Amino acid sequence: GDGVVIEARSRQYRGVIEARSDAGRFRLVNEVDVEQYLRGMGEVRNPSWPAAGLEAQAIAARTYALRASGGGRRPGGFHLYDDQRSQVYLGRQAEYAAMDAAVSRTRGRVVTYAGSLAATVYSSSAGGFTATATEGFGPGASNRPYLKAVPYPTADPRSWKVEIALRDVAARLGYRGTISAVRVAAKGPSGRALTVVVEGSAGPLEVSGVSFDAKLGLKSTLFTLRGDTAAS
């Protein structure tokens, strides 16, 4: 049929909706065929994309979803979040003809490496240079040689700038002294920060680029650091 309407979210979903109790919370889980799931994704909602681009997105998203589904259910009885923790999934109202066609033309196609589903991670922008697994996920990342640092042309690398007082950097990183300098000690092949060193009265503190990014709420690890002085 046309699926299920969830009025509280103003959304419609294909398949069935299962209601579950999860640690005292109410959770709704949409059980849907992967091909229908791909039609309802919200990662690319732009019919002006070239057909080949939409097809590549469909293949990457299908691989990601099937790989996640094969790894066992999460606590609460589901495989995928419907937001950026997994892939953005909006349901039936997100469907449009160009993406429907891309899903149909690529039906069943996935990306594999060494006989297994590949980790087809992606983002809305990589700043003009894709990242290696270590750059993207930190020093403990699994070796995935197909995730390479490759430059690509873009008219908008989505540059950004953040100004943070050193005392706030100390608080975010749990540094117990007064910071005098922060520097990128090591960079990866794409130029992303692998290691950041904090220097100050409590001695040096080394953190991974991924941890520095997360704790300071930055947009990526593709950054340069510059120190300025000001009244506050």
Side-chain angles (χ1 to χ4, degrees):
D2 290 335
V4 181
V5 177
I6 305 297
E7 294 184 359
R9 304 192 72 186
S10 300
R11 292 185 184 176
Q12 300 177 38
Y13 296 94
R14 294 189 183 276
V16 298
I17 298 292
E18 182 177 345
R20 300 186 178 188
S21 176
D22 179 19
R25 295 178 298 176
F26 188 61
R27 186 186 299 279
L28 297 177
V29 178
N30 184 198
E31 296 184 0
V32 64
D33 177 83
V34 68
E35 302 299 323
Q36 301 297 337
Y37 164 80
L38 295 174
R39 294 175 61 194
M41 285 189 60
E43 292 285 1
V44 178
R45 303 187 69 189
N46 189 346
S48 69
W49 268 38
L54 291 176
E55 290 173 15
Q57 172 65 27
I59 293 170
R62 181 183 292 106
T63 307
Y64 187 103
L66 292 175
R67 190 170 184 272
S69 299
R73 289 179 179 254
R74 299 178 184 272
F78 64 97
H79 292 117
L80 292 158
Y81 292 99
D82 65 356
D83 56 29
Q84 293 181 354
R85 287 173 291 180
S86 296
Q87 301 182 117
V88 176
Y89 171 65
L90 302 177
R92 186 171 181 267
Q93 68 278 342
E95 298 173 10
Y96 59 99
M99 194 69 212
D100 287 353
V103 171
S104 178
R105 284 194 296 267
T106 64
R107 184 176 183 84
R109 291 176 60 187
V110 294
V111 181
T112 63
Y113 178 79
S116 299
L117 292 170
T120 52
V121 291
Y122 57 90
S123 62
S124 59
S125 173
F129 220 124
T130 61
T132 63
T134 300
E135 288 178 306
F137 301 107
S142 300
N143 179 31
R144 305 195 192 284
Y146 51 86
L147 298 180
K148 299 179 179 180
V150 180
Y152 65 91
T154 176
D156 181 14
R158 298 195 183 183
S159 300
W160 54 274
K161 176 182 178 181
V162 175
E163 296 183 2
I164 308 173
L166 289 179
R167 63 177 179 275
D168 294 330
V169 174
R172 295 286 185 93
L173 298 181
Y175 186 78
R176 301 190 173 207
T178 300
I179 294 178
S180 57
V182 184
R183 60 184 175 85
V184 175
K187 293 183 178 182
S190 74
R192 287 171 168 80
L194 292 179
T195 306
V196 175
V197 172
V198 174
E199 298 174 347
S201 62
L205 171 67
E206 182 177 292
V207 298
S208 70
V210 170
S211 178
F212 187 81
D213 171 17
K215 290 183 177 180
L216 268 65
L218 307 180
K219 295 183 182 296
S220 76
T221 57
L222 187 57
F223 58 74
T224 57
L225 296 173
R226 186 184 70 192
D228 291 323
T229 57
S232 62

